[in-house]
Protein backbone atom coordinates (compact mmCIF):
# COMPACT_ATOMS: atom_id res chain seq x y z
CA UNK A 1 0.00 0.00 0.00
CA UNK A 2 1.39 3.40 -0.98
CA UNK A 3 1.73 6.06 1.68
CA UNK A 4 0.19 9.42 0.85
CA UNK A 5 2.35 12.50 1.01
CA UNK A 6 0.62 13.96 4.01
CA UNK A 7 2.87 16.86 4.88
CA UNK A 8 1.13 19.44 2.72
CA UNK A 9 -1.20 22.08 4.13
CA UNK A 10 -4.91 22.15 4.51
CA UNK A 11 -6.83 22.74 1.30
CA UNK A 12 -8.74 25.65 2.83
CA UNK A 13 -5.63 27.30 4.19
CA UNK A 14 -4.59 27.65 7.83
CA UNK A 15 -6.56 30.16 9.90
CA UNK A 16 -6.84 30.79 13.61
CA UNK A 17 -10.53 29.90 13.35
CA UNK A 18 -9.90 26.43 11.92
CA UNK A 19 -7.18 25.55 14.44
CA UNK A 20 -8.58 23.05 16.93
CA UNK A 21 -6.74 23.99 20.15
CA UNK A 22 -7.21 21.04 22.48
CA UNK A 23 -4.82 21.78 25.33
CA UNK A 24 -3.39 24.79 23.42
CA UNK A 25 -6.18 27.25 24.20
CA UNK A 26 -3.90 29.73 25.96
CA UNK A 27 -1.51 29.96 23.01
CA UNK A 28 -4.36 30.34 20.52
CA UNK A 29 -6.01 33.07 22.55
CA UNK A 30 -2.70 34.92 22.84
CA UNK A 31 -2.34 34.93 19.05
CA UNK A 32 -5.97 35.91 18.47
CA UNK A 33 -5.57 38.94 20.71
CA UNK A 34 -2.30 39.85 18.98
CA UNK A 35 -4.01 39.99 15.57
CA UNK A 36 -7.18 41.64 16.87
CA UNK A 37 -9.48 38.60 16.93
CA UNK A 38 -9.53 37.75 20.62
CA UNK A 39 -11.93 38.62 23.42
CA UNK A 40 -9.58 41.33 24.58
CA UNK A 41 -9.37 43.00 21.19
CA UNK A 42 -11.32 46.11 20.26
CA UNK A 43 -12.73 47.00 16.88
CA UNK A 44 -9.70 49.16 16.13
CA UNK A 45 -6.50 47.83 14.65
CA UNK A 46 -4.57 46.02 17.40
CA UNK A 47 -1.46 47.57 18.94
CA UNK A 48 0.87 44.58 18.99
CA UNK A 49 3.20 44.16 21.92
CA UNK A 50 6.92 44.45 21.15
CA UNK A 51 7.44 41.47 23.46
CA UNK A 52 8.24 38.46 21.23
CA UNK A 53 6.29 35.21 21.24
CA UNK A 54 7.80 31.75 20.85
CA UNK A 55 5.86 28.51 20.25
CA UNK A 56 7.46 25.12 20.64
CA UNK A 57 6.34 21.51 20.41
CA UNK A 58 6.90 18.32 18.49
CA UNK A 59 6.15 17.98 14.80
CA UNK A 60 2.41 17.92 14.15
CA UNK A 61 1.45 20.10 17.09
CA UNK A 62 0.33 22.95 14.81
CA UNK A 63 3.19 25.45 14.95
CA UNK A 64 3.38 26.20 11.23
CA UNK A 65 -0.42 26.27 10.97
CA UNK A 66 -0.55 29.00 13.61
CA UNK A 67 2.30 31.02 12.11
CA UNK A 68 0.78 30.89 8.62
CA UNK A 69 -2.63 31.78 10.09
CA UNK A 70 -1.15 34.82 11.84
CA UNK A 71 0.61 35.92 8.66
CA UNK A 72 -2.64 35.64 6.69
CA UNK A 73 -4.63 37.48 9.37
CA UNK A 74 -2.13 40.35 9.30
CA UNK A 75 -2.14 40.45 5.51
CA UNK A 76 -5.91 40.76 5.56
CA UNK A 77 -5.42 43.89 7.67
CA UNK A 78 -3.13 45.34 5.01
CA UNK A 79 0.09 44.56 6.90
CA UNK A 80 3.29 43.22 5.39
CA UNK A 81 5.10 40.49 7.29
CA UNK A 82 8.67 39.23 7.17
CA UNK A 83 8.77 35.42 6.94
CA UNK A 84 11.79 33.17 7.43
CA UNK A 85 11.85 29.37 7.60
CA UNK A 86 14.39 26.61 7.03
CA UNK A 87 13.64 26.60 3.28
CA UNK A 88 14.55 30.29 2.90
CA UNK A 89 17.95 29.93 1.26
CA UNK A 90 18.54 33.63 0.61
CA UNK A 91 17.08 35.64 3.51
CA UNK A 92 16.45 39.27 2.65
CA UNK A 93 17.44 42.24 4.75
CA UNK A 94 15.00 43.60 7.31
CA UNK A 95 12.29 45.70 5.66
CA UNK A 96 11.05 48.76 7.54
CA UNK A 97 7.62 48.27 5.95
CA UNK A 98 7.08 45.05 7.88
CA UNK A 99 4.54 45.15 10.69
CA UNK A 100 5.76 41.88 12.19
CA UNK A 101 8.48 39.26 11.79
CA UNK A 102 7.65 35.53 11.71
CA UNK A 103 10.40 32.92 12.17
CA UNK A 104 9.42 29.28 11.59
CA UNK A 105 11.47 26.08 12.10
CA UNK A 106 14.17 27.97 13.99
CA UNK A 107 15.67 24.70 15.27
CA UNK A 108 16.75 23.96 11.67
CA UNK A 109 18.34 27.31 10.82
CA UNK A 110 21.69 27.37 9.09
CA UNK A 111 24.43 29.79 10.15
CA UNK A 112 23.27 32.28 7.49
CA UNK A 113 19.63 31.95 8.52
CA UNK A 114 20.55 32.49 12.17
CA UNK A 115 22.40 35.66 11.22
CA UNK A 116 19.38 36.90 9.27
CA UNK A 117 16.98 35.98 12.09
CA UNK A 118 19.10 37.84 14.63
CA UNK A 119 19.26 40.89 12.36
CA UNK A 120 15.48 40.82 11.86
CA UNK A 121 14.92 40.39 15.59
CA UNK A 122 17.09 43.34 16.57
CA UNK A 123 15.61 45.60 13.90
CA UNK A 124 12.07 44.59 14.85
CA UNK A 125 12.50 45.22 18.55
CA UNK A 126 14.62 48.38 18.15
CA UNK A 127 13.79 49.72 14.68
CA UNK A 128 15.44 52.74 13.12
CA UNK A 129 12.01 53.92 11.96
CA UNK A 130 8.64 53.60 13.65
CA UNK A 131 7.40 51.58 16.61
CA UNK A 132 8.77 48.17 17.64
CA UNK A 133 7.45 45.23 15.65
CA UNK A 134 6.14 41.94 16.99
CA UNK A 135 8.36 38.86 16.56
CA UNK A 136 6.59 35.49 16.41
CA UNK A 137 8.80 32.40 16.23
CA UNK A 138 8.44 28.63 16.47
CA UNK A 139 10.62 25.54 16.77
CA UNK A 140 10.55 21.94 17.91
CA UNK A 141 12.53 22.63 21.10
CA UNK A 142 12.22 24.96 24.10
CA UNK A 143 14.38 28.08 23.76
CA UNK A 144 17.14 26.90 26.10
CA UNK A 145 17.66 23.72 24.02
CA UNK A 146 17.75 25.31 20.58
CA UNK A 147 20.98 24.62 18.63
CA UNK A 148 21.39 28.32 17.79
CA UNK A 149 23.89 31.07 18.42
CA UNK A 150 23.61 32.30 22.00
CA UNK A 151 22.41 35.83 21.23
CA UNK A 152 19.52 34.56 19.10
CA UNK A 153 18.57 31.71 21.42
CA UNK A 154 18.36 33.91 24.50
CA UNK A 155 16.29 36.54 22.71
CA UNK A 156 13.78 33.96 21.48
CA UNK A 157 13.22 32.92 25.07
CA UNK A 158 12.76 36.25 26.85
CA UNK A 159 9.18 36.92 25.77
CA UNK A 160 5.99 34.86 25.80
CA UNK A 161 6.76 31.13 25.47
CA UNK A 162 4.06 28.51 24.86
CA UNK A 163 4.46 24.76 24.51
CA UNK A 164 2.05 23.23 21.99
CA UNK A 165 0.72 19.74 22.63
CA UNK A 166 -0.52 17.16 20.14
CA UNK A 167 -4.23 16.43 20.22
CA UNK A 168 -5.13 13.13 21.84
CA UNK A 169 -7.06 10.48 19.91
CA UNK A 170 -10.47 11.57 21.22
CA UNK A 171 -9.78 15.16 20.14
CA UNK A 172 -8.57 14.13 16.68
CA UNK A 173 -11.63 11.92 16.30
CA UNK A 174 -13.88 14.85 17.25
CA UNK A 175 -12.19 17.15 14.71
CA UNK A 176 -12.51 14.61 11.90
CA UNK A 177 -16.15 14.08 12.75
CA UNK A 178 -16.79 17.83 12.90
CA UNK A 179 -15.12 18.42 9.53
CA UNK A 180 -16.94 15.51 7.92
CA UNK A 181 -20.28 16.83 9.18
CA UNK A 182 -19.45 20.29 7.82
CA UNK A 183 -18.80 18.75 4.40
CA UNK A 184 -21.92 16.62 4.52
CA UNK A 185 -19.83 13.44 4.53
CA UNK A 186 -21.05 10.24 6.14
CA UNK A 187 -17.91 9.05 7.90
CA UNK A 188 -18.33 5.80 9.80
CA UNK A 189 -16.57 5.10 13.09
CA UNK A 190 -14.62 2.28 11.40
CA UNK A 191 -13.22 4.70 8.78
CA UNK A 192 -12.29 7.25 11.44
CA UNK A 193 -10.53 4.57 13.48
CA UNK A 194 -8.66 3.34 10.39
CA UNK A 195 -7.48 6.87 9.59
CA UNK A 196 -6.36 7.52 13.15
CA UNK A 197 -4.50 4.25 13.57
CA UNK A 198 -2.84 4.02 10.14
CA UNK A 199 -1.78 7.60 9.44
CA UNK A 200 0.05 10.53 10.98
CA UNK A 201 -1.07 12.02 14.28
CA UNK A 202 -0.62 15.42 12.63
CA UNK A 203 -4.11 16.91 12.40
CA UNK A 204 -3.23 18.84 9.25
CA UNK A 205 -2.23 15.58 7.57
CA UNK A 206 -5.44 13.89 8.66
CA UNK A 207 -7.51 16.77 7.33
CA UNK A 208 -5.65 16.61 4.02
CA UNK A 209 -6.38 12.89 3.88
CA UNK A 210 -10.05 13.59 4.50
CA UNK A 211 -10.06 16.18 1.72
CA UNK A 212 -8.48 13.72 -0.71
CA UNK A 213 -10.89 10.99 0.35
CA UNK A 214 -13.87 13.30 -0.12
CA UNK A 215 -12.72 14.23 -3.63
CA UNK A 216 -12.03 10.60 -4.53
CA UNK A 217 -15.49 9.53 -3.31
CA UNK A 218 -17.11 12.26 -5.41
CA UNK A 219 -15.17 11.25 -8.52
CA UNK A 220 -15.98 7.56 -8.13
CA UNK A 221 -19.54 8.14 -6.89
CA UNK A 222 -18.99 5.75 -4.00
CA UNK A 223 -19.66 5.96 -0.27
CA UNK A 224 -16.65 6.49 1.98
CA UNK A 225 -15.59 3.14 3.37
CA UNK A 226 -12.33 1.46 4.33
CA UNK A 227 -12.22 -0.40 0.96
CA UNK A 228 -12.62 2.93 -0.84
CA UNK A 229 -9.80 4.44 1.22
CA UNK A 230 -7.56 1.50 0.37
CA UNK A 231 -8.46 1.82 -3.31
CA UNK A 232 -7.57 5.51 -3.24
CA UNK A 233 -4.19 4.79 -1.65
CA UNK A 234 -3.39 2.09 -4.18
CA UNK A 235 -4.27 4.41 -7.07
CA UNK A 236 -1.88 7.13 -5.99
Amino acid sequence: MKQLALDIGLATGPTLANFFPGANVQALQHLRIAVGEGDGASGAAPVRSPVPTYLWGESGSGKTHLLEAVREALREQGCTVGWLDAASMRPTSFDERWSAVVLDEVHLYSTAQQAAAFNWFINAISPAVGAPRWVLAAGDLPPADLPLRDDLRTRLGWGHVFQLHLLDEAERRAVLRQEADARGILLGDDVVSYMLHRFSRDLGSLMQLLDQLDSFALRTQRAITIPLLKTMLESE
Side-chain angles (χ1 to χ4, degrees):
M1 180 184 296
K2 285 189 176 182
Q3 177 68 44
L4 283 176
L6 296 177
D7 58 348
I8 56 180
L10 296 176
T12 54
T15 68
L16 295 178
N18 66 20
F19 180 79
F20 190 92
N24 304 311
V25 173
Q26 186 177 9
L28 177 61
Q29 183 63 6
H30 172 82
L31 298 180
R32 291 183 64 220
I33 291 173
V35 300
E37 296 181 6
D39 295 336
S42 66
V47 178
R48 273 169 280 282
S49 170
V51 178
T53 300
Y54 180 74
L55 310 177
W56 71 275
E58 63 181 290
S59 178
S61 56
K63 302 183 298 296
T64 297
H65 178 118
L66 289 173
L67 266 57
E68 290 180 348
V70 165
R71 177 175 61 173
E72 184 58 29
L74 294 178
R75 283 177 172 175
E76 289 177 356
Q77 298 172 16
C79 301
T80 56
V81 179
W83 177 279
L84 180 65
D85 59 31
S88 305
M89 293 297 100
R90 297 179 181 274
T92 63
S93 300
F94 180 83
D95 191 327
E96 294 290 350
R97 295 171 296 179
W98 291 342
S99 298
V101 165
V102 180
L103 310 171
D104 196 16
E105 304 174 318
V106 298
H107 59 288
L108 298 176
Y109 280 6
S110 66
T111 300
Q113 289 165 338
Q114 291 179 50
F118 180 75
N119 176 267
W120 288 15
F121 195 107
I122 295 300
N123 280 283
I125 298 299
S126 303
V129 178
R133 277 71 155 179
W134 182 38
V135 178
L136 173 61
D140 282 4
L141 300 169
D145 296 336
L146 288 169
L148 303 175
R149 47 191 278 183
D150 289 342
D151 51 7
L152 176 59
R153 182 177 62 250
T154 54
R155 281 169 173 79
L156 290 174
W158 70 256
H160 303 285
V161 177
F162 297 93
Q163 180 182 5
L164 298 184
H165 304 274
L166 289 169
L167 299 181
D168 61 29
E169 181 174 327
E171 290 168 333
R172 295 198 306 275
R173 185 178 294 272
V175 174
L176 283 171
R177 179 71 63 197
Q178 176 179 298
E179 179 65 15
D181 290 345
R183 292 167 177 257
I185 301 172
L186 180 60
L187 199 64
D189 290 338
D190 58 335
V191 178
V192 174
S193 295
Y194 190 89
M195 294 171 66
L196 290 173
H197 296 155
R198 299 298 183 94
F199 299 97
S200 171
R201 293 188 299 166
D202 177 355
L203 183 60
S205 297
L206 288 169
M207 298 294 274
Q208 178 64 29
L209 176 60
L210 179 62
D211 183 66
Q212 292 174 302
L213 185 55
D214 183 22
S215 297
F216 188 75
L218 288 173
R219 290 199 308 270
T220 58
Q221 295 295 297
R222 293 170 58 187
I224 294 180
T225 61
I226 292 176
L228 180 72
L229 176 54
K230 291 180 177 179
T231 299
M232 182 186 76
L233 295 172
E234 291 167 355
S235 69
E236 289 293 323

